[in-house]
Amino acid sequence: MLGKDEGGETQMESEQRAPDIHQRRILSRDEHPISRKEISENALKVLYRLNKAGYEAYLVGGGVRDLLLGKTPKDFDIATEATPEQIKALFGNCRLIGRRFRLAHIVFGRDIIEVATFRGHHHQVNNSRHVSAQSEEGMLLRDNVYGTIEEDAERRDFTVNALYYSAKDFTLHDFCGGLADLEARRLDLIGDPETRYREDPVRMLRAVRFAAKLDMTISPRSALPIHELAPLLQDIPAARLFEETLKLFLAGDALQTYRLLREYNLFQQLFPQLTPLLTPNGDSVHERLIEFALIDTDNRVREEKRVTPAFLYATLLWGAVESRARILENESGLPWHDAFMMAVNEVLDSQTRIIAIPRRFTTDVRDIWALQLRLTRRQGRHPERAMEHPKFRAAYDFLLLRNRVERGIGELASWWERYVESAPESRHQLQREASRDEPREARENNNKKRRRPRRRKPGSAPSAS
Ligand code: ATP
Ligand code: MG
């Protein structure tokens, strides 16, 4: 099986290869590299306690997969035959959560170990809506049918995510060919890909995320249906998509993830307002802005610096705001400032219907954008006041980022760099300099498109830009 895909499986072969339940393959301690030392103490505690109470329990999912790849796992998930109620009875520090999937969280201060009961096949049981439910598109709305470990393995998404480690005898259990796929660095869905994507369209996002993060290739049969099924993401609750986008863009492999999302027609579903701005080579001003921002984000994650969803969304959606503002300015003759602020509202309203970006972040996104206009005003107390704004630093970084791709803001960006770095007493000199440049600067900022004569509404405030 090893390397079979590397030369490129033919489509027919790949469609015929059905990696359903294989024989259970058990590797003893000396046949695999996982050592208990690499597993979090808390996860081990939970495993031991479950085992001691007589329940089968395993480490599973990303924890096992990442250890086998020599990576440090993000978290450790546990699967057991104990039901949520039985788990709760065993652990004082246990919270039961979730409706779609009922899960137990065992809480150790800030560390939370997620424990899931083995899941069974939903079609085997009665159709009680409390236990399992499916939408007309085949999407699983509820999935709380319990089963055996074999069934649990089959219900997981990718073969490499269906490896189980036992802390009782240190064995590793492979039901779906995950070990061979890990070695071939192949991401392969368990079962029929189309059915599995329809059950849960987020699996398409997960495919891309794991491919980028683990440097693996999505198997041809798992890749094939994505482009066409991508629009199913529209049925996913916006809150869940917010959580997923954080994992896609703030986990250290954002650039590669973004490129794959575009390739598979998934980015277009998440950010439909950007679709008209995407070009075949991906190198327009707005696309380059996104790429630079994602490279910076990845570097910051690697250096363990703070990254914020607000800055990310400000960069991702900047192109949509600018182009919408230009349309509003041209079509309704609004002053640039008003057109811009109206575009900000429209773009955020429309985006949050798809991805539920919490208000605390959209407030920051708005501030970062609005400050782009304020930073063009360099007279009087404007610069000083702008600097006092809590989002000044983010807005300033954003201006410098824009300056890497946009034309016409070079003088403004370098002025701000000097202003920020200079001592307060020498800032007046910079302001005097700016007054010489201001008229030109204002022209550059306002004339993104040639402006029509203004038709200011009676009584409306003069434009700020
Ligand atoms: P990471 O935590 O590194 O992002 P992970 O594989 O652990 O990766 P989790 O979201 O923590 O991902 O899920 C844990 C495990 O649960 C997965 O490995 C997989 O076996 C299973 N799983 C998670 N989401 C799904 C899904 N949508 N469909 C099927 N199985 C899933
Ligand atoms: Mg995990």
Side-chain angles (χ1 to χ4, degrees):
M1 209 167 160
L2 239 181
K4 186 175 164 225
D5 258 358
E6 280 167 353
E9 223 173 17
T10 68
Q11 191 170 315
M12 213 161 57
E13 262 179 327
S14 71
E15 276 165 5
Q16 282 166 353
R17 199 170 76 87
D20 281 336
I21 278 309
H22 295 202
Q23 283 290 307
R24 178 177 187 149
R25 198 177 146 207
I26 304 179
L27 275 65
S28 61
R29 172 64 192 96
D30 51 1
E31 292 173 308
H32 67 76
I34 297 182
S35 129
R36 262 176 308 166
K37 282 198 234 74
E38 299 163 309
I39 301 169
S40 96
E41 257 178 57
N42 293 331
L44 286 172
K45 267 189 222 161
V46 175
L47 285 169
Y48 293 147
R49 171 103 46 107
L50 284 163
N51 288 156
K52 218 170 133 202
Y55 300 114
E56 254 193 279
Y58 299 86
L59 201 65
V60 66
V64 180
R65 179 197 68 215
D66 292 353
L67 286 178
L68 288 169
L69 288 171
K71 288 177 173 271
T72 311
K74 193 174 91 228
D75 48 34
F76 291 94
D77 300 308
I78 289 174
T80 177
E81 61 178 343
T83 64
E85 288 68 28
Q86 289 168 330
I87 301 167
K88 184 145 181 65
L90 268 186
F91 296 91
N93 50 342
C94 171
R95 278 197 315 241
L96 297 187
I97 60 146
R99 247 163 64 87
R100 203 169 142 272
F101 288 116
R102 253 166 90 70
L103 291 172
H105 274 179
I106 318 291
V107 185
F108 298 89
R110 295 183 63 185
D111 188 21
I112 293 176
I113 306 291
E114 200 165 280
V115 186
T117 307
F118 292 151
R119 252 163 252 290
H121 289 296
H122 40 100
H123 52 76
Q124 289 170 349
V125 243
N126 61 60
N127 282 333
S128 160
R129 292 188 66 81
H130 296 295
V131 182
S132 96
Q134 206 162 13
S135 75
E136 277 171 20
E137 289 77 33
M139 193 157 97
L140 280 179
L141 302 175
R142 206 156 299 152
D143 189 5
N144 285 318
V145 178
Y146 304 128
T148 63
I149 186 171
E150 285 85 359
E151 288 162 347
D152 185 80
E154 262 189 287
R155 298 283 307 112
R156 292 184 180 271
D157 47 6
F158 300 95
T159 62
V160 296
N161 285 347
L163 295 163
Y164 296 70
Y165 171 86
S166 163
K168 196 158 72 179
D169 56 11
F170 320 125
T171 50
L172 187 66
H173 302 241
D174 176 5
F175 300 90
C176 304
L179 281 170
D181 282 345
L182 260 190
E183 226 167 315
R185 297 195 95 85
R186 174 175 50 219
L187 264 181
D188 197 21
L189 268 178
I190 298 166
D192 171 54
E194 179 165 344
T195 311
R196 302 306 311 282
Y197 290 138
R198 284 186 184 280
E199 278 174 4
D200 183 4
V202 167
R203 288 176 186 147
M204 295 186 274
L205 297 178
R206 289 173 61 86
V208 160
R209 176 159 73 86
F210 292 133
K213 162 178 156 165
L214 307 170
D215 195 17
M216 291 174 85
T217 309
I218 306 174
S219 73
R221 60 174 218 112
S222 302
L224 198 65
I226 298 182
H227 207 277
E228 202 177 314
L229 298 180
L232 292 176
L233 284 176
Q234 285 158 16
D235 301 328
I236 303 298
R240 186 168 178 218
L241 285 185
F242 176 70
E243 294 301 321
E244 288 302 320
T245 52
L246 294 186
K247 295 185 203 165
L248 291 167
F249 295 112
L250 298 181
D253 304 285
L255 180 66
Q256 179 60 6
T257 304
Y258 159 75
R259 290 184 173 161
L260 287 174
L261 286 173
R262 282 188 57 160
E263 183 185 326
Y264 284 104
N265 186 32
L266 294 164
F267 188 77
Q268 294 82 333
Q269 314 302 320
L270 296 174
F271 299 98
Q273 298 180 99
L274 294 176
T275 307
L277 305 177
L278 302 179
T279 61
N281 293 333
D283 59 359
S284 67
V285 168
H286 296 313
E287 291 164 303
R288 290 197 357 251
L289 183 87
I290 292 177
E291 295 221 341
F292 277 129
L294 297 180
I295 292 168
D296 285 352
T297 307
D298 288 344
N299 288 336
R300 292 183 66 91
V301 172
R302 233 155 267 146
E303 292 161 18
E304 298 185 5
K305 288 190 188 150
R306 212 170 68 88
V307 285
T308 132
F311 196 83
L312 172 77
Y313 280 103
T315 49
L316 285 172
L317 296 168
W318 176 247
V321 169
E322 268 218 312
S323 62
R324 183 66 192 141
R326 240 174 271 154
I327 291 171
L328 288 170
E329 187 193 34
N330 283 337
E331 282 179 358
S332 48
L334 285 174
W336 175 248
H337 175 272
D338 298 2
F340 182 86
M341 293 318 289
M342 195 181 275
V344 165
N345 287 334
E346 284 185 16
V347 166
L348 283 176
D349 282 352
S350 159
Q351 187 61 53
T352 47
R353 265 179 248 133
I354 302 168
I355 299 177
I357 311 165
R359 190 174 294 270
R360 64 181 187 281
F361 298 130
T362 54
T363 305
D364 290 354
V365 173
R366 263 175 225 281
D367 285 347
I368 292 171
W369 286 342
L371 277 160
Q372 299 310 299
L373 297 191
R374 278 182 62 184
L375 294 183
T376 62
R377 310 181 72 192
R378 292 179 276 168
Q379 295 314 310
R381 297 201 57 216
H382 286 298
E384 222 177 301
R385 288 222 198 92
M387 273 186 91
E388 284 162 12
H389 192 285
K391 286 293 131 194
F392 171 78
R393 189 72 214 186
Y396 167 72
D397 286 344
F398 190 65
L399 179 71
L400 298 188
L401 178 68
R402 284 174 57 206
N403 185 41
R404 285 158 74 180
V405 295
E406 283 178 35
R407 278 194 296 176
I409 54 173
E411 194 277 326
L412 180 69
S414 82
W415 184 88
W416 270 105
E417 275 184 296
R418 280 177 292 142
Y419 188 86
V420 165
E421 277 156 27
S422 59
E425 52 285 7
S426 47
R427 285 179 177 162
H428 292 294
Q429 174 55 29
L430 277 165
Q431 284 191 290
R432 271 195 295 280
E433 250 177 62
S435 62
R436 289 200 307 272
D437 293 315
E438 189 95 314
R440 197 188 70 211
E441 193 64 50
R443 229 181 19 248
E444 279 167 358
N445 277 287
N446 291 337
N447 287 9
K448 300 263 160 158
K449 268 267 157 73
R450 189 169 298 142
R451 302 181 54 146
R452 293 183 184 180
R454 288 185 189 178
R455 278 189 301 158
R456 192 173 294 147
K457 276 178 268 155
S460 71
S463 154
S465 58

Coordinates of all heavy atoms in Angstrom, one line a residue, residues 384 387 418-431:
E384 N -1.9 63.2 17.0 CA -1.8 62.9 18.4 C -3.0 62.1 18.9 O -2.9 61.1 19.6 CB -1.8 64.3 19.1 CG -0.8 64.5 20.2 CD -1.0 65.9 20.7 OE1 -0.7 66.8 19.9 OE2 -1.4 66.1 21.9
M387 N -3.1 58.6 17.7 CA -2.2 57.8 18.4 C -2.8 57.3 19.7 O -2.4 56.3 20.3 CB -0.8 58.4 18.6 CG 0.1 58.2 17.5 SD 1.7 58.9 17.9 CE 2.5 57.5 18.6
R418 N 8.1 57.8 10.7 CA 8.9 58.8 11.4 C 8.2 59.4 12.5 O 8.8 59.6 13.6 CB 9.4 59.9 10.3 CG 10.5 59.4 9.5 CD 10.9 60.4 8.4 NE 9.8 60.5 7.4 CZ 9.5 61.7 6.9 NH1 10.1 62.8 7.2 NH2 8.5 61.7 6.0
Y419 N 6.9 59.7 12.4 CA 6.2 60.3 13.5 C 6.1 59.5 14.7 O 6.4 59.9 15.8 CB 4.7 60.6 13.0 CG 3.9 61.5 14.0 CD1 4.0 62.8 13.9 CD2 3.1 60.8 14.9 CE1 3.3 63.6 14.8 CE2 2.4 61.6 15.8 CZ 2.4 63.0 15.8 OH 1.7 63.7 16.6
V420 N 5.9 58.2 14.5 CA 5.8 57.2 15.6 C 7.1 57.1 16.3 O 7.2 57.0 17.5 CB 5.3 55.9 15.1 CG1 5.5 54.8 16.2 CG2 3.8 55.9 14.8
E421 N 8.2 57.1 15.5 CA 9.5 56.9 16.1 C 10.1 58.1 16.7 O 11.1 58.0 17.5 CB 10.5 56.3 15.1 CG 10.2 54.8 15.0 CD 10.7 54.2 13.6 OE1 11.6 54.8 13.0 OE2 10.1 53.2 13.2
S422 N 9.6 59.3 16.3 CA 10.3 60.5 16.8 C 9.8 61.0 18.2 O 8.7 60.6 18.6 CB 10.2 61.7 15.8 OG 8.8 61.9 15.6
A423 N 10.7 61.7 18.8 CA 10.3 62.2 20.2 C 9.2 63.3 20.0 O 9.2 64.0 19.0 CB 11.6 62.9 20.8
P424 N 8.3 63.3 21.0 CA 7.2 64.2 20.9 C 7.5 65.7 20.5 O 6.9 66.3 19.7 CB 6.6 64.2 22.3 CG 7.0 62.9 22.9 CD 8.3 62.6 22.2
E425 N 8.7 66.2 21.0 CA 9.0 67.6 20.7 C 9.4 67.8 19.2 O 9.3 68.9 18.7 CB 10.1 68.2 21.7 CG 11.4 67.4 21.9 CD 11.3 66.2 22.8 OE1 10.2 65.7 23.1 OE2 12.4 65.6 23.0
S426 N 9.9 66.8 18.6 CA 10.2 67.0 17.1 C 9.1 66.7 16.2 O 9.2 66.7 15.0 CB 11.5 66.2 16.8 OG 11.3 64.9 17.3
R427 N 7.9 66.4 16.7 CA 6.8 66.0 15.9 C 6.2 67.2 15.1 O 5.6 67.0 14.1 CB 5.7 65.3 16.7 CG 6.2 63.9 17.0 CD 5.2 63.1 17.8 NE 5.7 61.7 18.0 CZ 5.2 60.9 18.9 NH1 4.3 61.3 19.7 NH2 5.7 59.7 19.0
H428 N 6.4 68.4 15.8 CA 5.8 69.6 15.1 C 6.5 69.8 13.7 O 5.8 70.1 12.8 CB 6.1 70.9 15.9 CG 5.3 70.8 17.2 ND1 3.9 70.9 17.2 CD2 5.6 70.7 18.5 CE1 3.4 70.8 18.4 NE2 4.5 70.7 19.2
Q429 N 7.8 69.6 13.7 CA 8.5 69.7 12.5 C 7.9 68.8 11.4 O 7.7 69.2 10.2 CB 10.0 69.4 12.7 CG 10.9 69.4 11.5 CD 10.8 70.7 10.7 OE1 10.6 71.8 11.2 NE2 10.9 70.6 9.4
L430 N 7.6 67.6 11.8 CA 7.1 66.6 10.8 C 5.7 67.1 10.4 O 5.3 66.9 9.2 CB 6.9 65.2 11.5 CG 8.2 64.4 11.5 CD1 8.0 63.2 12.5 CD2 8.4 63.8 10.1
Q431 N 5.0 67.7 11.3 CA 3.6 68.2 10.9 C 3.7 69.3 9.9 O 2.9 69.4 9.0 CB 2.8 68.6 12.1 CG 2.3 67.4 12.9 CD 1.3 67.8 13.9 OE1 1.7 68.4 14.9 NE2 0.0 67.5 13.7

